[in-house]
Structures are given as structure tokens and as C-alpha cells.
Amino acid sequence: ESAVSSYIDPDLPAANHLEAINGIVLAVGGGSKSLLDLVLVLQEGLTSSIAQERRRSALLIGEVLTKCPRLRVNWKHLDTVVSFFSERLEDWYSVEGALVTFRAILRSYRGVLIDDDRDKGQEVVKNIAQAVFSKVHGPSFAQSIRKILIEVLTLLLTEYEEEMRSFEFKLGNEVCSQIED
């Protein structure tokens, strides 16, 4: 809990954030804490009135999923995370963390999404795409966040081609609207 507090505290120096994320990754990746444990500890931070705490809380989940690409999760865990972060896309300060989380899920948990229960996993992928297309306007964000957005779109188009077919002709317009500058 103290590591999470250190990571989300925007007033602490970067060295404290790095030490905190390393401890959190060791705990979650090593199995002594679960992704659910992390979300429960982050509950206040994710809804904090302090914008930078919300930003760092959202980013922490994405960072952990990125640095722990083989967590023991199923499609339902991922669906819950995607549903939560789809809603967080309406909060400007949570967009970066949501996109990092989506990128980590699409990149590292394909086996869970496609192999374990294909129909349910495909719905999770479609929900990511729908959330990004309907709630994120890429040109409104800084270059670093637009880069993450492009990576999410690239993963959707190259690794989840079958799932994206359901968007048919709208897909081209949606992608173009995200990358136009």
C-alpha cells in the first residue's frame, strides 16, 4: 500500500516513483499480490479530486500489465479492466493510463483474449476499439499520448484483424479521425 501511495503521489520525485513501481511489479508479478489487490488499493486514487493522482493511478495499472505480461488472468478479469477504463476515457487525466492499459492487454494477453474463450475475448477487443473510437480524439492530446494511441490502433488492425471486421467501412474513418492533425 505504501508503494502505491508513493507511486501516485505527484509531489514525490521520479526516483521514488521508480522505486515504488519496481516494488509493485515484484509483488504483482511474483504472485504475492493480484491485479485485483492493486485495483482495490488504487480505488481512492482512481477517483481522486487531484487530477495528477488520477493520472498516476490509471497509469499504474497499465504499467503493471506492461511489465507483468504473464499474470494469471482470464477474459473476465480483462473485461472488467477494459470496462472500467472505457469509462475513465471521459476523464482527460486518465486517458494516458487507459491507453497504456489497453496496449498492454492487446499486446501481452492475446492468448487470454483469443485462445481461452474466443467469443468472449473478441468482445473485449471490440469493446476496446469501440471505447477508443468513440471517446478519444487523438489530435487533442500531446504527442506522447498520440503515440500510444497509434500503437493501440496498430495492434487492433494487425493483431486483431478478424475482430475489427465487424466495424466494416466505419473503421477507416475512425482510424483517420484519430491520426489526423
Side-chain angles (χ1 to χ4, degrees):
E1 237 176 87
S2 66
V4 170
S5 296
S6 293
Y7 183 82
I8 67 171
D9 186 339
D11 297 325
L12 291 178
N16 290 57
H17 294 152
L18 183 61
E19 182 180 332
I21 187 75
N22 288 339
I24 295 165
V25 166
L26 283 173
V28 175
S32 65
K33 296 289 181 187
S34 70
L35 186 61
L36 178 60
D37 293 332
L38 179 60
V39 170
L40 291 174
V41 171
L42 280 171
Q43 211 163 11
E44 282 185 40
L46 288 164
T47 58
S48 172
S49 61
I50 301 168
Q52 288 302 321
E53 282 186 11
R54 287 195 317 274
R55 178 185 166 270
R56 295 197 59 77
S57 295
L59 194 56
L60 179 55
I61 294 174
E63 290 293 330
V64 168
L65 285 170
T66 299
K67 293 175 190 287
C68 300
R70 289 174 180 67
L71 291 179
R72 297 180 82 169
V73 296
N74 61 37
W75 72 268
K76 186 63 179 159
H77 296 127
L78 298 178
D79 185 52
T80 301
V81 170
V82 167
S83 295
F84 175 79
F85 277 104
S86 294
E87 294 301 316
R88 300 307 306 156
L89 286 173
E90 295 174 8
D91 174 21
W92 181 270
Y93 292 96
S94 297
V95 170
E96 178 183 18
L99 291 173
V100 169
T101 299
F102 293 162
R103 179 183 63 192
I105 289 170
L106 292 169
R107 185 181 284 154
S108 300
Y109 293 93
R110 180 178 171 81
V112 175
L113 293 172
I114 302 305
D115 298 337
D116 289 354
D117 190 332
R118 187 169 185 81
D119 290 340
K120 290 182 170 55
Q122 284 180 323
E123 283 305 310
V124 174
V125 173
K126 289 175 186 176
N127 290 341
I128 290 173
Q130 188 61 43
V132 169
F133 292 147
S134 65
K135 296 180 181 178
V136 178
H137 183 250
S140 299
F141 290 95
Q143 181 64 34
S144 60
I145 296 173
R146 289 196 317 257
K147 180 182 181 293
I148 299 165
L149 175 60
I150 297 294
E151 291 170 354
V152 168
L153 294 173
T154 300
L155 284 164
L156 287 168
L157 294 172
T158 59
E159 300 296 322
Y160 299 92
E161 184 179 336
E162 183 177 330
E163 291 77 11
M164 294 301 95
R165 283 194 183 120
S166 67
F167 287 94
E168 296 174 349
F169 70 91
K170 293 184 257 182
L171 185 61
N173 289 336
E174 297 291 352
V175 171
C176 288
S177 72
Q178 294 299 338
I179 59 174
E180 70 183 18
D181 205 13

